Amino acid sequence: MRSDSAKKGFERAPHRSLFYATGLTPEELERPIIGVVNAFNEIVPGHVHLNQIAAAVKAGVRMAGGAPLEFNVIGVCDGIAMGHSGMNYSLPTRELIADSVESMVIGHAFDGLVFIPNCDKIIPGMLMAAGRLNIPSIFVSGGPMMAGRYEGEDIDLKTLFEAVGKYKTGQIDDAELTEMELAACPGCGSCAGMFTANTMNCLTEALGMGLPGNGTIPAVTGARLRLAKHAGMQVMALLEANLCPRDIMTHAAFENAIAVDMALGGSTNTVLHLPAIANDAGVKLSLDTFDAISKRTPYLIKLSPTGPHHIQDLDEAGGIPAVMAELNGKGVLHGDLPTVTGKTVAENIATARRRTKVLRSADDPYSPEGGIAILRGNLAPDGAVVKAAAVGADMLHHRGPARVFDGEEAAMDAILGGAIKPGDVLVIRYEGPRGGPGMREMLMPTSALSGMGLDANVALITDGRFSGATRGSATGHVSPEAASGGLIGLVREGDEIEIDIPNRTLTLHVSDAEIARRREGWTPNPPKIQHGWLARYARMVTSASEGAILK
């Protein structure tokens, strides 16, 4: 056992003494030491209940003969951080989480790991650590939040962000806004739509690193606690078989995860996170892989923000196993891959089936292509990302004048001040991984546009990124970013920009000669934060097209 290096032999008597100081018995030290990596805190709704999940995990580990020892990692709530300087820190915490887990696990010689994430950056940060450490590991999330209810309709966090625009235009009043605030997020769990957290929890399952149900069983159910106990038990089987993350997280497994992502119409943030996870697993994953898989994968379910349904509805419809069964029937998946169940993908989904019409058959999809598209052109030679599933038919191709803003706050002032008109292309730059720094999400601008009814005729492009709750023509991850000398930094007010999603192009209609003239003597704006660890992050972070990893 790996833990023997910290507990066996006469020379480890001081180490054993320290273990005993925590209350461990000699009998427990004879067992494998299993790290329970818990993202509990009292700030994030998706994490406030994770101590219950951890207790269930530890019970499972003990039932299967292991000795569980718990430690914690940080987590930032993207919803609370949205729209202010807190969002600069959200994506970078992914790296802090991976680094801190690596430090704890190697420092204390754990034999195996059970990871308990739930929200946006915590899931990929933990998956990165799992790939980096490559010891037997399994994931069990805290589960999704139930949808809220307001005037007989399901609502969620997206509803509130869009309510800001409705309030500004007089569509709702103070009393209605307050009632919606109290109803939208009814309790613990990751926000109820197919936003980034739930997308990543579903893809953890599709990747083979979580048990069936990891992505969809609601947080408040006994089934979620049973799943946690089974995860604790199963890590001991993984340890016995020495089945490690890099045995599971192969290139083919990432292709499966991307296919499920496309079928679900998942968050565009997956195009940042999956390459970063793959990098730590020793796998190269390019943007071209996403687009190629999207073109052959049917889009099967419309979950918020693109449709009226929520994760609880997907769970009732059969969950990720049912989605994967539909895709496997079309030859989209690799069925022979190992997973943390000890079975192959095909064996895991052999009895899965669609239970409700919320999930469409692969023979009758919403679209024959997946929910995310990669755009390229002179404005994004290294790529840009759009959730095509969330774009109205009339906006799949759009050309209009640029309205240019060097940051989210100025853009929000213009939107709420009525300065953005139908037909405009809103350009928000210096929000990339380096220029932000930290690549803030632009949910407030997109939601304000939607709430004011402008999402039907205004496009937005940015070198920043979007929340999974964003809908409308919102193209992010424009690479290279402005702070790295990307063409988006040279766009001027009134320039014509064309977004052609079916043909995968993003074009600035300005002559090469004019672009060259603008470049003369031009230098990009420096990162907005020049102190603290974000200053180091800005110096080390790579392009969004590479997953915004650190080098």
Side-chain angles (χ1 to χ4, degrees):
M1 292 188 292
R2 294 169 181 83
S3 60
D4 286 352
S5 64
K7 67 185 185 183
K8 291 290 186 181
F10 72 89
E11 70 276 20
R12 295 294 183 259
H15 304 64
R16 290 192 294 275
S17 182
L18 290 168
F19 278 121
Y20 295 149
T22 69
L24 285 178
T25 65
E27 292 81 6
E28 286 175 298
L29 277 190
E30 290 297 318
R31 299 176 179 182
I33 304 297
I34 304 300
V36 178
V37 190
N38 185 2
F40 165 79
N41 62 53
E42 294 183 340
I43 305 165
V44 184
H47 292 209
V48 293
H49 65 303
L50 294 189
N51 279 347
Q52 290 179 284
I53 303 295
V57 165
K58 289 185 284 188
V61 171
R62 293 189 183 102
M63 283 191 284
L69 292 176
E70 178 182 344
F71 65 90
N72 292 87
V73 299
I74 64 168
V76 169
C77 177
D78 278 19
I80 295 172
M82 197 73 67
H84 60 88
S85 60
M87 182 51 71
N88 292 95
Y89 287 82
S90 175
L91 179 62
T93 62
R94 189 184 70 180
E95 318 305 316
L96 286 182
I97 290 164
D99 291 350
S100 64
V101 173
E102 176 188 356
S103 302
M104 287 293 291
V105 171
I106 294 178
H108 301 101
F110 289 103
D111 295 302
L113 299 168
V114 182
F115 289 90
I116 308 174
N118 214 27
C119 291
D120 298 30
K121 260 27 98 297
I122 297 88
I123 307 157
M126 288 185 175
L127 282 165
M128 289 163 66
R132 191 182 300 177
L133 293 161
N134 201 37
I135 66 174
S137 302
I138 191 169
F139 281 66
V140 57
S141 78
M145 184 185 292
M146 302 296 284
R149 296 285 292 175
Y150 178 70
E151 296 187 344
E153 301 288 338
D154 284 348
I155 63 172
D156 56 36
L157 184 65
K158 168 190 70 70
T159 312
L160 261 296
F161 274 102
E162 294 184 0
V164 172
K166 291 182 178 180
Y167 180 85
K168 180 65 178 178
T169 54
Q171 298 174 59
I172 58 175
D173 59 22
D174 287 298
E176 291 171 297
L177 184 62
T178 299
E179 288 176 7
M180 293 168 71
E181 287 175 26
L182 293 170
C185 299
C188 66
S190 45
C191 296
M194 187 50 72
F195 312 148
T196 303
N198 287 326
T199 302
M200 289 304 304
N201 282 324
C202 289
L203 298 195
T204 300
E205 186 178 334
L207 193 57
M209 291 299 293
L211 297 175
N214 179 71
T216 61
I217 295 173
V220 294
T221 62
R224 176 57 58 177
L225 295 176
R226 294 195 298 273
L227 186 75
K229 289 179 181 177
H230 284 136
M233 297 167 70
Q234 187 60 23
V235 75
M236 299 303 294
L238 297 174
L239 186 60
E240 179 69 23
N242 196 31
L243 185 61
C244 297
R246 289 194 178 198
D247 301 321
I248 294 169
M249 293 195 291
T250 61
H251 196 281
F254 282 100
E255 290 181 0
N256 281 356
I258 294 169
V260 171
D261 190 14
M262 299 305 163
L264 296 173
S267 167
T268 53
N269 282 314
T270 59
V271 186
L272 281 175
H273 297 325
L274 290 178
I277 297 162
N279 178 71
D280 271 311
V283 173
K284 179 69 174 177
L285 198 59
S286 72
L287 292 187
D288 292 334
T289 303
F290 284 84
D291 211 45
I293 293 174
S294 181
K295 288 178 179 177
R296 65 173 185 255
T297 304
Y299 173 39
L300 301 180
I301 186 166
K302 287 197 172 185
L303 299 166
S304 178
T306 62
H309 305 298
H310 292 85
I311 305 300
Q312 65 208 57
D313 301 308
L314 173 57
D315 188 63
E316 184 182 356
I320 299 307
V323 174
M324 296 183 77
E326 288 296 321
L327 298 179
N328 199 45
K330 287 295 185 181
V332 175
L333 297 185
H334 304 280
D336 59 345
L337 305 181
T339 72
V340 292
T341 66
K343 301 176 182 178
T344 65
V345 169
E347 289 170 332
N348 286 342
I349 63 176
T351 60
R353 61 182 178 84
R354 291 186 307 122
R355 299 195 192 104
T356 75
K357 293 181 180 179
V358 167
L359 176 63
R360 286 198 173 187
S361 163
D363 293 323
D364 180 33
Y366 284 103
S367 167
E369 293 190 2
I372 293 175
I374 307 300
L375 310 185
R376 295 185 188 270
N378 69 340
L379 200 48
D382 293 342
V385 182
V386 63
K387 185 189 279 193
V391 181
D394 292 343
M395 290 295 289
L396 290 172
H397 179 263
H398 179 79
R399 178 168 174 165
R403 306 299 311 281
V404 185
F405 301 92
D406 288 354
E408 177 188 12
E409 288 81 0
M412 275 298 292
D413 288 344
I415 294 168
L416 296 178
I420 304 303
K421 305 300 182 185
D424 286 347
V425 177
L426 192 59
V427 178
I428 305 178
R429 62 192 181 192
Y430 293 104
E431 291 288 6
R434 179 176 298 170
M439 203 177 184
R440 292 194 294 178
E441 290 184 345
M442 301 291 113
L443 178 58
M444 291 192 71
T446 58
S447 296
L449 290 171
S450 295
M452 296 171 74
L454 290 171
D455 59 315
N457 45 39
V458 170
L460 191 157
I461 69 169
T462 180
D463 52 10
R465 60 193 179 96
F466 296 108
S467 164
T470 286
R471 62 189 176 102
S473 180
T475 302
H477 307 199
V478 171
S479 301
E481 62 175 292
S484 295
L487 184 57
I488 190 172
L490 294 170
V491 177
R492 293 184 178 177
E493 191 82 5
D495 287 349
E496 287 287 312
I497 292 176
E498 184 175 10
I499 304 156
D500 188 343
I501 295 172
N503 290 308
R504 305 296 205 261
T505 58
L506 180 61
T507 308
L508 175 67
H509 286 287
V510 172
S511 71
D512 291 344
E514 172 61 16
I515 291 170
R517 190 185 66 77
R518 292 181 188 181
R519 281 201 182 277
E520 292 177 5
W522 173 76
T523 56
N525 294 348
K528 299 185 187 78
I529 296 176
Q530 299 287 326
H531 62 279
W533 79 275
L534 277 193
R536 298 196 303 274
Y537 177 89
R539 291 193 297 269
M540 298 167 66
V541 71
T542 63
S543 169
S545 63
E546 299 178 64
I549 60 174
L550 297 185
K551 287 188 178 179

